[in-house]
Amino acid sequence: MSRPSSSRNRPTSAQSRTAWGDGIDNPAMDDGPAAMESDMYGGSMEVVEERQAPTVQVHEPPSGCIYMFKKGIRSLWATRETEEIKDNKELTIRTTLRELLIYIVFLSILCIVTFGMTSPTMYYYTKVMSELFLDTQFPETKNTFRGMTTMHDFWRFSQGPLMDGLYWETWYNDRNVSEEELGYIFYENKLLGVPRLRQLKVKNDSCTVHADFRKEIKTCYDAYASNIEDRLPFGLENGSAWTYQTQKELDGSNHWGLISTYAGGGFVQNLAAVKQESKEILSVLKNNLWLDRGTRAVFIDFTVYNANINLFCVIRLVLEFPATGGVIPSWNFRTVKLIRYVSASDYFVMACECIFALFIIYYMIEEFLEIKKHRMAYFKSFWNILDIIVILLAICCIVFNIYRSFAVINKLEDLLSRPEQYPDFEFLSYWQVVFNSAIAIMVFFAWVKVFKYISFNKTMTQLSSTLARCAKDLAGFAVMFFIIFLAFAQLGYLIFGTQVRDFKSFDAAMFTLFRIILGDFNFHELEAANRILGPTYFILYVFFVFFVLLNMFLAIINDTYSEVKAELSNQKNEFDVGDYFKKGYNKMLDKLNLKRDKIVDIQKALQSADINQDRQLDFDEWRQDLKTRGYAEAEIEAVFAKYDLDGDRVLDEDEQRNMQSDLEGQKEALSKEFEELEERQNRPGTGRSRISLGDDSIDESDDEDTGTKSTRVGGRGMGGVSYEEFTVLSRRVDRMEHSIGSIVSKIDAVLVKLEAMELAKTKRRETMSKILDSITEADGASDEAKREQMERLVREELERWDSESSIGQASARGPSPGGSSRGRHTHSRPSSGPSGEDFV
């Protein structure tokens, strides 16, 4: 029977071939490189062995620069959604930590970008400008812009506080400012261009007068609507103040006021660059009744820029004239940073903005890969939807940031070429505020997304688990709540809407009821509106909503939270990051200890292995000493070959000194690294590990089924056994385990061969029996001698097979079963028997 075998390159020395001397290869070589063949020594050794096993064809993984490049690029977007990490806890930890670290960098860049767009100075800038124009009192009535009620108040304001606030032409000592200092508010804020007044009117007869009053009331002016605007010239009928200009001609935009939404066109009057000329313009407008019964809104627009803090303040003061008569003032102060890059810190923010754009491209590719893998199932996850929202908001903000930079440049160039014109920064300032709001929302969502990466901890999942668990109960509660809430809102609007400001409209009534839930209410105002219905309404609302519904809501949340907390207390974390880092730390610490102990063993061998004291350390002496210390053949050969530079299998004094100095250097480096790790350890010596000396790996095993840990602790011996003895015995036990496994496998192979031989022998006996039967049944005297000869041959053959059977059983117990020779016979054999090879 043929014996399969495989061969590899093998060292020529007999000592390196085997550790046992009985034909069995060193088991320490079976499982890969030995411990001493690590990079600590820099040695390498090719180990061979023969095994009775079929040859296995190994498919090597693809390699090459292109493959490695693709693999590296692919690993950049490895996430828990794209990788198969279901059954690999360590890969889950690594992938989650990698995602979290990258996201923390992204969030940090985003915070730098957003905080670079704003500062506390913006608030103070808005405060001083608003106080100047809104809180300055009129000379005659001590009223302010906030308290205006009549058209006459408008002229008092425009000819008094407005002129004084826009034009600072003298110092506090009544000295006139210089030519260069003209046009500054508070002497610091440059008034860009000139201010502008804009009026919107409605037509006469835009509403219908009841028939009973048509004889007495000849005119009727409805509330503002764009389809009933009065666009006909009036008054002096010359100049922009008396002729209508469309929104397109003014390049204006709509304004959402307190009463209505107003178009961007109207009757426009630009003021002058100096105070006296502006007063004269206002006098002309006043004397010619620029405001009349058809007036529905007046806008006062101007823009200032403070170079000290690089901020624009776009101001709009609005006076709405409702159909009821009187004036309703409102205002809008937009403090924005339209010129983004001036100082060094601004350029740093610009660099962060570029990095932010790269991050958005990175996350776009990541989400594309996840969508490609999961397809429509991708959109079932809340976190994935949140990712899409953040990316879309970021793209919009990046596009607007680029547009705003170019638009501001064009605006400033046009302003410098025509300084007497009104610069319309209203559109840019509005969208800058929208941009800031979008960035704020994106930052909010970005912070919420952190929960996605820390959800492996059961404590961090309590919020999401509680809300998910009670979602159905909250939905049912919400139906009950809003039925009662909307009923109270409509009741309050209908009862108190004509007298109480907080109930002036249905949406205002809803907000007021929400405020009452939080404790912000004005009971006396309700009582004054209706002494019976006011207190009754308030008491019923507080009872049903505050005492009943709100407590039901809290009960649902508390009950669900208790259930979730009880369940989570019995569950394990998805993985424990602290244990992961602690395990890695202990592994590194124990590995350093093991390497350092090996160096000590080799240094001791250098001192004690030279038995004949000839200062020449040959390989046999080296091997004998390290054998007693429990090292395998491959380890011994690797270390010796590294320092045997001339290859004579002898270490002379120079080579021994080189080895000694090299080992000292490695020992110092390991000691230094060990000390650094010890300094960072919070509780030294808490790590429990199992040291596997065969492959130089340290592993901490945790039996999850029994909750116990199996440990083999390195370091000082326990129970009176020294560390050296423990190490030697551990290595010997490991070799015995590997050796026993090899012996058992070879015995199995011998048994298989014996079974095959027994089967072949049985077949041959059956064949020869058939031949003998055919011979004895033959007729004729002439064949008698032939039959006798054939019978004699067959019986001899059977006897030879019986003798070979006993010899085969004896040889099966030897090192090479089936190796005995058999006699050869030249007589013929019938074709119906076994093959000729079986007879050899």
Side-chain angles (χ1 to χ4, degrees):
M1 233 183 174
S2 62
R3 177 182 174 183
S5 63
S6 61
S7 62
R8 303 178 195 167
N9 294 332
R10 183 184 298 273
T12 57
S13 67
Q15 292 90 339
S16 65
R17 178 181 180 275
T18 177
W20 306 94
D22 58 355
I24 302 173
D25 293 339
N26 184 359
M29 303 179 189
D30 294 344
D31 294 340
M36 278 190 174
E37 294 181 87
S38 63
D39 55 354
M40 183 181 76
Y41 302 101
S44 62
M45 184 176 181
E46 294 182 350
V47 184
V48 297
E49 60 181 345
E50 295 182 358
R51 299 187 181 186
Q52 291 179 336
T55 303
V56 179
Q57 185 177 3
V58 179
H59 297 281
E60 295 184 356
S63 60
C65 296
I66 298 179
Y67 171 77
M68 296 304 295
F69 176 75
K70 290 182 178 179
K71 184 178 179 182
I73 293 297
R74 177 68 181 82
S75 64
L76 290 176
W77 286 276
T79 66
R80 289 182 293 178
E81 300 289 336
T82 59
E83 300 300 310
E84 299 297 335
I85 60 175
K86 186 175 182 180
D87 299 323
N88 192 334
K89 185 172 292 186
E90 187 172 351
L91 180 60
T92 303
I93 296 175
R94 290 202 304 267
T95 304
T96 302
L97 291 179
R98 175 187 161 277
E99 284 188 83
L100 179 58
L101 290 176
I102 293 177
Y103 191 75
I104 288 175
V105 176
F106 165 74
L107 191 58
S108 301
I109 294 296
L110 180 58
C111 290
I112 293 174
V113 171
T114 52
F115 285 128
M117 293 164 40
T118 184
S119 68
T121 312
M122 289 184 170
Y123 167 75
Y124 294 110
Y125 194 19
T126 304
K127 181 176 183 295
V128 296
M129 297 304 295
S130 61
E131 288 178 350
L132 175 64
F133 292 99
L134 302 181
D135 298 328
T136 302
Q137 295 180 345
F138 306 160
E140 300 132 355
T141 62
K142 306 301 180 183
N143 196 6
T144 63
F145 181 87
R146 301 176 191 269
M148 294 173 58
T149 57
T150 64
M151 287 186 180
H152 193 46
D153 286 336
F154 167 75
W155 295 112
R156 290 195 186 101
F157 168 76
S158 60
Q159 293 179 328
L162 180 63
M163 293 294 102
D164 295 338
L166 289 176
Y167 304 102
W168 292 61
E169 298 180 349
T170 60
W171 288 93
Y172 50 84
N173 59 358
D174 295 331
R175 182 178 65 85
N176 292 333
V177 299
S178 62
E179 189 70 23
E180 293 78 9
E181 295 170 335
L182 281 175
Y184 284 88
I185 299 176
F186 282 122
Y187 311 111
E188 299 289 350
N189 306 285
K190 176 64 177 176
L191 180 63
L192 300 180
V194 295
R196 185 180 72 178
L197 302 180
R198 179 167 64 93
Q199 176 189 191
L200 288 173
K201 303 177 63 178
V202 295
K203 300 176 182 177
N204 185 15
D205 298 331
S206 55
C207 54
T208 303
V209 180
H210 194 271
D212 294 340
F213 294 96
R214 286 176 185 171
K215 293 182 180 180
E216 289 77 16
I217 302 175
K218 303 296 183 181
T219 59
C220 181
Y221 296 90
D222 200 356
Y224 175 83
S226 58
N227 60 335
I228 58 173
E229 275 190 28
D230 186 2
R231 304 187 180 186
L232 297 176
F234 72 102
L236 300 179
E237 297 187 0
N238 61 349
S240 60
W242 311 98
T243 57
Y244 184 85
Q245 298 183 57
T246 63
Q247 179 172 324
K248 184 176 180 180
E249 292 173 342
L250 295 177
D251 193 20
S253 57
N254 292 343
H255 177 83
W256 184 19
L258 298 178
I259 298 176
S260 180
T261 299
Y262 302 96
F267 301 90
V268 175
Q269 175 62 61
N270 290 339
L271 300 180
V274 294
K275 186 174 184 179
Q276 187 59 37
E277 294 181 9
S278 296
K279 282 189 173 183
E280 294 175 358
I281 294 174
L282 291 175
S283 297
V284 173
L285 296 179
K286 181 180 179 181
N287 294 333
N288 291 278
L289 290 178
W290 191 60
L291 301 183
D292 56 20
R293 290 184 58 191
T295 301
R296 288 294 174 261
V298 174
F299 301 90
I300 305 172
D301 296 308
F302 55 96
T303 302
V304 294
Y305 171 70
N306 190 309
N308 302 333
I309 54 179
N310 187 30
L311 291 177
F312 289 79
C313 187
V314 182
I315 302 172
R316 169 167 285 182
L317 305 177
V318 183
L319 296 165
E320 296 179 76
F321 298 85
T324 58
V327 178
I328 299 176
S330 60
W331 52 88
N332 194 348
F333 291 80
R334 297 194 185 114
T335 301
V336 292
K337 189 175 183 179
L338 297 179
I339 303 177
R340 294 294 302 275
Y341 314 115
V342 177
S343 62
S345 60
D346 293 335
Y347 284 103
F348 172 72
V349 172
M350 182 179 69
C352 292
E353 289 175 350
C354 296
I355 298 175
F356 171 76
L358 294 177
F359 265 109
I360 294 302
I361 296 174
Y362 170 84
Y363 281 115
M364 288 174 63
I365 298 175
E366 180 180 291
E367 301 309 313
F368 171 78
L369 294 175
E370 293 180 0
I371 293 174
K372 183 179 179 182
K373 180 176 180 180
H374 300 283
R375 301 189 182 277
M376 296 306 297
Y378 169 89
F379 297 97
K380 296 180 180 180
S381 172
F382 167 77
W383 299 115
N384 294 337
I385 299 298
L386 195 62
D387 290 337
I388 296 296
I389 294 175
V390 171
I391 290 175
L392 292 178
L393 288 174
I395 292 175
C396 295
C397 292
I398 291 172
V399 171
F400 175 77
N401 196 31
I402 297 173
Y403 164 76
R404 188 261 331 284
S405 299
F406 289 102
V408 170
I409 293 174
N410 295 333
K411 284 283 184 183
L412 293 179
E413 290 179 352
D414 183 63
L415 174 63
L416 294 176
S417 62
R418 298 185 301 170
E420 73 285 352
Q421 298 296 321
Y422 165 74
D424 190 1
F425 283 92
E426 175 66 24
F427 178 81
L428 275 180
S429 64
Y430 171 76
W431 284 107
Q432 178 65 34
V433 172
V434 174
F435 168 80
N436 294 343
S437 301
I439 285 285
I441 295 172
M442 183 175 63
V443 172
F444 172 78
F445 286 149
W447 275 106
V448 171
K449 189 184 170 184
V450 175
F451 282 104
K452 174 183 179 181
Y453 300 108
I454 62 175
S455 58
F456 55 81
N457 188 289
K458 61 184 181 182
T459 304
M460 299 301 175
T461 60
Q462 290 184 5
L463 174 62
S464 58
S465 300
T466 301
L467 294 178
R469 181 75 64 85
C470 66
K472 293 182 179 179
D473 294 334
L474 289 180
F477 168 80
V479 174
M480 295 185 296
F481 175 82
F482 281 106
I483 289 174
I484 297 178
F485 184 83
L486 293 176
F488 272 102
Q490 189 165 3
L491 177 62
Y493 168 61
L494 295 176
I495 296 177
F496 311 110
T498 59
Q499 302 178 60
V500 181
R501 179 178 180 182
D502 291 338
F503 289 88
K504 63 182 178 181
S505 61
F506 183 69
D507 54 346
M510 293 178 62
F511 288 119
T512 301
L513 293 184
F514 274 116
R515 287 166 48 197
I516 293 177
I517 294 177
L518 299 177
D520 180 16
F521 57 87
N522 190 343
F523 173 78
H524 297 292
E525 195 173 11
L526 291 176
E527 187 180 24
N530 193 311
R531 289 187 296 175
I532 298 176
L533 294 179
T536 304
Y537 174 86
F538 180 80
I539 292 173
L540 290 176
Y541 177 78
V542 170
F543 176 77
F544 283 106
V545 176
F546 192 80
F547 289 113
V548 178
L549 293 179
L550 187 59
N551 283 281
M552 286 179 60
F553 173 78
L554 295 177
I556 294 172
I557 297 293
N558 289 333
D559 185 56
T560 307
Y561 177 76
S562 300
E563 294 178 0
V564 170
K565 190 172 182 180
E567 292 179 2
L568 292 177
S569 63
N570 298 324
Q571 295 179 1
K572 290 184 177 180
N573 288 327
E574 186 178 345
F575 53 82
D576 198 327
V577 179
D579 289 345
Y580 175 74
F581 284 112
K582 183 179 178 181
K583 179 179 178 182
Y585 172 80
N586 290 331
K587 182 182 292 187
M588 178 61 67
L589 202 64
D590 292 338
K591 185 172 290 188
L592 291 178
N593 280 326
L594 185 61
K595 288 184 178 181
R596 188 168 61 179
D597 292 339
K598 288 180 179 179
I599 293 175
V600 172
D601 285 344
I602 297 173
Q603 289 177 330
K604 291 179 179 180
L606 280 175
Q607 298 173 1
S608 61
D610 189 9
I611 300 174
N612 54 12
Q613 300 296 324
D614 59 352
R615 298 184 180 179
Q616 301 290 324
L617 185 60
D618 58 24
F619 182 76
D620 290 335
E621 296 173 333
W622 175 261
R623 177 177 176 274
Q624 185 63 31
D625 190 286
L626 288 183
K627 270 287 188 179
T628 61
R629 300 178 187 276
Y631 288 95
E633 290 288 338
E635 298 175 307
I636 299 170
E637 177 72 21
V639 177
F640 191 89
K642 178 181 178 181
Y643 297 100
D644 184 17
L645 302 180
D646 52 9
D648 59 353
R649 310 292 288 177
V650 175
L651 295 179
D652 55 25
E653 294 184 21
D654 292 337
E655 291 172 336
Q656 292 181 42
R657 281 194 297 269
N658 291 337
M659 179 185 283
Q660 185 68 32
S661 61
D662 191 11
L663 293 175
E664 285 294 336
Q666 295 181 27
K667 186 177 179 181
E668 292 177 1
L670 288 173
S671 298
K672 184 177 180 181
E673 187 175 356
F674 182 81
E675 291 173 359
E676 292 177 353
L677 287 175
E678 285 286 349
E679 291 176 358
R680 294 195 299 266
Q681 187 179 21
N682 293 329
R683 292 186 297 172
T686 57
R688 294 181 294 176
S689 62
R690 182 187 62 181
I691 303 176
S692 176
L693 300 173
D695 59 353
D696 196 25
S697 65
I698 296 91
D699 184 29
E700 181 180 357
S701 61
D702 188 0
D703 191 346
E704 295 181 357
D705 296 333
T706 62
T708 61
K709 287 189 177 181
S710 59
T711 60
R712 281 197 243 160
V713 183
R716 298 187 59 86
M718 296 184 302
V721 180
S722 65
Y723 172 74
E724 290 78 7
E725 293 176 355
F726 172 76
T727 304
V728 171
L729 291 175
S730 298
R731 290 172 178 162
R732 289 178 179 175
V733 170
D734 290 340
R735 287 204 300 270
M736 290 177 64
E737 291 175 354
H738 287 289
S739 176
I740 291 172
S742 177
I743 292 172
V744 170
S745 64
K746 292 185 178 182
I747 290 174
D748 291 339
V750 170
L751 293 176
V752 171
K753 287 186 178 181
L754 289 176
E755 290 177 359
M757 292 172 61
E758 196 67 32
L759 181 62
K761 190 183 298 183
T762 302
K763 290 183 179 180
R764 283 184 286 184
R765 289 178 65 88
E766 292 175 356
T767 301
M768 296 308 296
S769 297
K770 292 180 181 179
I771 294 173
L772 184 61
D773 292 341
S774 63
I775 292 174
T776 55
E777 292 175 0
D779 297 332
S782 59
D783 297 331
E784 185 65 26
K786 185 175 181 180
R787 286 199 302 269
E788 291 178 356
Q789 183 181 5
M790 291 295 296
E791 184 176 353
R792 180 174 54 80
L793 292 174
V794 170
R795 293 185 185 279
E796 290 178 355
E797 184 70 16
L798 291 176
E799 291 175 357
R800 186 179 64 81
W801 285 343
D802 292 338
S803 63
E804 285 183 354
S805 175
S806 61
I807 295 173
Q809 293 176 1
S811 63
R813 293 188 294 270
S816 56
S820 64
S821 62
R822 297 186 178 95
R824 296 179 180 272
H825 298 273
T826 59
H827 58 271
S828 62
R829 288 174 287 274
S831 60
S832 60
S835 62
E837 186 177 286
D838 292 332
F839 287 89
V840 178

